[in-house]
Amino acid sequence: CIMLAVTPGNADIANSEAIKLAQQVDPEGVRTLGVITKADIMDAGATLLAVFLLRDESTPTECCNSC
C-alpha cells in the first residue's frame, strides 16, 4: 500500500495538511510518496524547502553535506 501526499507548489509546503497527515500515518515515510504540483510557479525559497522535504533533510547543512 502506497500513500500519495499531494501538495501544490504554490502553497506553504512546510505546513501542508497532506504531509502532516502522511507523517501521522507513516512516520518513517516508507510507504509515502510526496507529490508537488505546480512546480513551475514555485518561488526560489519554496523550491529549496521542497528539496529539503523531499530528501527528508531537516536543515540546509545536511543537504549540502550529502551532495
Side-chain angles (χ1 to χ4, degrees):
C1 181
I2 296 175
M3 179 175 19
L4 296 177
V6 181
T7 303
N10 63 343
D12 185 6
I13 298 169
N15 294 315
S16 165
E17 191 67 27
I19 292 174
K20 288 179 183 179
L21 290 171
Q23 289 173 337
Q24 289 176 3
V25 177
D26 182 22
E28 294 178 16
V30 295
R31 298 185 177 271
T32 303
L33 179 62
V35 178
I36 298 177
T37 63
K38 302 178 185 176
D40 56 328
I41 58 175
M42 293 173 70
D43 64 22
T47 302
L48 187 58
L49 177 60
V51 170
F52 294 144
L53 289 172
L54 292 174
R55 292 183 62 182
D56 196 23
E57 304 286 347
S58 59
T59 65
T61 305
E62 291 175 14
C63 177
C64 295
N65 288 339
S66 66
C67 294

